[in-house]
């Protein structure tokens, strides 16, 4: 993964493939790897689906409102 952008890894965790956005060859290799490796593709999809279950509009709205209220109090 792109070591200088920890925020992406924090959000995607083990659901994505990572590359240096300034390195087109690395991007190409990662795309090729995902296309050719069915198990990798399946694992990333399953992980992403599981991760998506931990997010909800209600939970995020609540957290956002809590932050806004704290900042404006």
């Amino acid at each position: 993964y792109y070591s200088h952008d920890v925020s992406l890894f924090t959000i995607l965790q083990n659901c994505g493939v990572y590359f240096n956005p300034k390195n087109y060859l690395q991007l190409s290799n990662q795309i090729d790897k995902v296309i050719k490796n069915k198990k990798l593709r399946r694992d990333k999809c399953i992980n992403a689906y599981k991760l998506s279950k931990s997010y909800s509009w209600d939970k995020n709205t609540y957290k956002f409102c809590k932050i806004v209220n704290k900042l404006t109090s």
Side-chain angles (χ1 to χ4, degrees):
Y1 79 97
Y2 186 49
S3 62
H4 299 299
D5 194 351
V6 176
S7 62
L8 282 178
F9 185 76
T10 302
I11 295 168
L12 293 176
Q13 299 172 20
N14 64 344
C15 301
V17 292
Y18 299 94
F19 57 92
N20 180 336
K22 296 178 181 178
N23 184 333
Y24 67 90
L25 188 57
Q26 194 178 58
L27 168 60
S28 174
N29 288 337
Q30 291 294 68
I31 291 171
D32 194 48
K33 185 191 308 184
V34 171
I35 290 170
K36 291 180 178 177
N37 189 329
K38 186 176 181 178
K39 182 178 177 347
L40 173 68
R41 199 168 53 247
R42 185 175 187 282
D43 290 347
K44 297 295 179 183
C45 288
I46 290 169
N47 292 338
Y49 180 76
K50 287 178 183 177
L51 181 63
S52 75
K53 295 296 184 182
S54 68
Y55 293 98
S56 75
W57 280 109
D58 291 337
K59 189 188 320 183
N60 288 328
T61 301
Y62 173 77
K63 287 180 181 179
F64 177 75
C65 289
K66 193 173 175 180
I67 292 168
V68 170
N69 287 334
K70 188 174 183 178
L71 293 172
T72 59
S73 298

